[in-house]
Amino acid sequence: MATVAECSKELHVLAVDDSYVDRKLIERLLQISSCKVTAVESGTRALQYLGLDGEQSNVGFDALKVNLIITDYTMPGMTGYELLKKIKESSVFREVPVVIMSSEDVLTQIDSCLEEGAEEYIVKPVKLSDVKRLKDHIMRGEPQANGKSGLLKRKLIDDIQASSVPLSFSSSVACDLESSQLPSSLSSPNCPFKRPKLL
Amino acid sequence: MDVVSQLQKQFIDFSSSLYREGYVDDQFSQLHKLQDESSPDFVVEVASLFFDDAEKLINSMARALEQPCVDFKQVDSHVHQLKGSSSSIGALRVKNVCIAFRSFCDAQNREGCMRCLQQVSHEYTMLKSKLQTLFRMEQQILAAGGSVPLE
């Protein structure tokens, strides 16, 4: 049974994606998961919204309440990775979890995002189950930096890199503590991800 | 069989064929989970965005490939975008052509790219036609007072 505090806390998400289709999709995924969404089409616009664009503008009241930033990786101009770095450099927003979405399941890319402090890396297309899991994770307030989940993600990446078996990967790498175990077989139904592709 | 049941059966048959023939995959059915009373036309809206996006991208690819000195990175960028949006909407055949297309861009193979362009254009046209038929069938069911069958 949710507490009063949980019921009244509505996640405000800033979604960043240059694709019209993907922006509409992520917006709807978040709305249907009872999140308030602000969707923008570029990293530059995202920084403007957050008041981090170097202009002497005051950050909007709404922007201060952003609980989660979810951004596409590959975007013209500023990439999601560059946006992630800028957010982590900000004293105001560095604690806000940042999730990266990408159609590329390149291990080095995933790794560098997680190293830079991304909360999760979700391989597109994003599904309702991804958003639900993400929301639960955020609402439980598990920080990536110090929490065990961050260490576990690190270990999983290392183990995957050490493996010599060619793997294929179709879903989010990061899993929270309850559901994560290194899969011993490719067909493990409980593991939320399949193997990443080694390049 | 009354009119509504007949229309519903035709709809189910047609919808199944789209999945069976690989025009769409599970992601397309995922989109339907996002449609409800607060967003009753979501699937049609996303599909429309996809059609606009795809047409623009295919035209851009064509223009880039027509240049005397082809900028393959530019072509690849357009294909990457189309691959992304087709994946998001569940347009499986279009996505698969994009995957092959990217290999030809990497190899800077103009002929291979031209073939893929033709193929992607064909697959896109087929998909658009199929989806428009599907949406029309939905409208007919609703107009006849019935409800659209779920998966």
Side-chain angles (χ1 to χ4, degrees), chain B residues 18 27 40 48 86 88 119 128 135 147:
Chain B
L18 294 187
Q27 180 62 15
S48 302
S86 57
S88 294
Q119 228 183 327
K128 183 173 179 181
F135 297 146
S147 59

Side-chain angles (χ1 to χ4, degrees), chain A:
Chain A
M1 197 76 188
T3 63
V4 171
E6 282 168 28
C7 287
S8 61
K9 185 183 175 186
E10 187 192 41
L11 271 192
H12 179 188
V13 186
L14 175 63
V16 191
D17 201 316
D18 62 308
S19 156
Y20 288 116
V21 172
D22 288 351
R23 215 159 48 241
K24 184 159 181 86
L25 184 59
I26 192 68
E27 199 172 43
R28 185 68 197 136
L29 282 165
L30 291 165
Q31 280 168 356
I32 212 170
S33 306
S34 311
C35 297
K36 179 175 142 114
V37 193
T38 301
V40 298
E41 76 269 20
S42 69
T44 310
R45 286 285 299 117
L47 291 179
Q48 273 171 9
Y49 181 76
L50 297 170
L52 296 177
D53 56 341
E55 305 287 315
Q56 294 305 313
S57 53
N58 292 320
V59 53
F61 185 62
D62 258 4
L64 279 174
K65 294 194 274 180
V66 166
N67 307 113
L68 169 66
I69 296 165
I70 183 162
T71 176
D72 188 26
Y73 184 93
T74 310
M75 296 187 289
M78 186 184 297
T79 66
Y81 178 73
E82 285 158 357
L83 176 61
L84 166 67
K85 287 208 292 193
K86 286 243 152 44
I87 290 164
K88 291 304 172 189
E89 282 163 15
S90 146
S91 47
V92 178
F93 291 106
R94 75 159 62 101
E95 293 305 315
V96 176
V98 181
V99 172
I100 309 282
M101 309 177 278
S102 177
S103 53
E104 309 287 325
D105 55 355
V106 175
L107 203 51
T108 48
Q109 191 168 291
I110 297 167
D111 208 12
S112 55
C113 288
L114 294 177
E115 292 262 280
E116 204 56 47
E119 193 69 23
E120 271 212 34
Y121 184 106
I122 300 179
V123 178
K124 287 180 166 182
V126 184
K127 296 176 162 48
L128 199 53
S129 53
D130 290 322
V131 175
K132 286 205 156 98
R133 194 195 66 241
L134 186 59
K135 192 187 172 192
D136 286 346
H137 177 96
I138 303 292
M139 297 292 263
R140 277 203 303 269
E142 290 168 7
Q144 191 265 4
N146 316 317
K148 288 182 206 164
S149 56
L151 287 175
L152 189 62
K153 280 190 280 253
R154 181 72 239 155
K155 182 185 184 332
L156 286 168
I157 298 281
D158 288 337
D159 285 326
I160 288 159
Q161 278 174 327
S163 163
S164 57
V165 178
L167 309 164
S168 67
F169 182 45
S170 63
S171 186
S172 168
V173 171
C175 16
D176 54 34
L177 284 175
E178 288 76 58
S179 56
S180 66
Q181 19 180 350
L182 204 53
S184 52
S185 77
L186 279 168
S187 57
S188 168
N190 295 322
C191 186
F193 63 94
K194 300 188 181 80
R195 314 285 183 83
K197 205 180 294 175
L198 291 178
L199 290 177

Side-chain angles (χ1 to χ4, degrees), chain B:
Chain B
M1 212 192 265
D2 66 286
V3 172
V4 169
S5 301
Q6 214 168 5
L7 290 171
Q8 285 172 332
K9 184 183 182 307
Q10 281 170 1
F11 172 81
I12 291 170
D13 289 344
F14 188 71
S15 177
S16 305
S17 75
L18 294 187
Y19 288 93
R20 206 172 46 244
E21 291 164 23
Y23 286 100
V24 296
D25 62 19
D26 179 64
Q27 180 62 15
F28 187 65
S29 60
Q30 288 281 325
L31 295 182
H32 289 78
K33 291 186 185 174
L34 305 180
Q35 186 162 283
D36 62 17
E37 314 77 45
S38 67
S39 192
D41 301 311
F42 177 73
V43 182
V44 173
E45 286 166 7
V46 178
S48 302
L49 279 177
F50 173 71
F51 296 152
D52 290 343
D53 203 37
E55 275 162 38
K56 213 179 53 178
L57 288 167
I58 290 171
N59 286 335
S60 299
M61 288 170 208
R63 273 200 306 277
L65 285 168
E66 275 165 21
Q67 302 307 310
C69 188
V70 177
D71 183 350
F72 286 99
K73 273 195 150 53
Q74 177 75 279
V75 180
D76 182 69
S77 163
H78 296 315
V79 178
H80 173 82
Q81 283 188 65
L82 183 59
K83 175 175 163 266
S85 52
S86 57
S87 165
S88 294
I89 198 184
L92 182 61
R93 283 190 174 187
V94 174
K95 183 185 78 172
N96 286 341
V97 178
C98 288
I99 292 171
F101 203 152
R102 292 197 80 190
S103 303
F104 286 114
C105 289
D106 279 346
Q108 309 213 336
N109 180 334
R110 191 172 173 277
E111 266 195 44
C113 284
M114 291 300 292
R115 274 199 310 272
C116 282
L117 175 66
Q118 226 174 7
Q119 228 183 327
V120 87
S121 187
H122 170 76
E123 288 299 342
Y124 164 71
T125 306
M126 290 289 287
L127 176 68
K128 183 173 179 181
S129 165
K130 298 265 180 185
L131 289 184
Q132 285 175 332
T133 301
L134 188 73
F135 297 146
R136 211 166 37 242
M137 285 177 146
E138 286 180 350
Q139 289 308 306
Q140 284 171 346
I141 293 170
L142 295 172
S147 59
V148 179
L150 300 166
E151 294 291 298

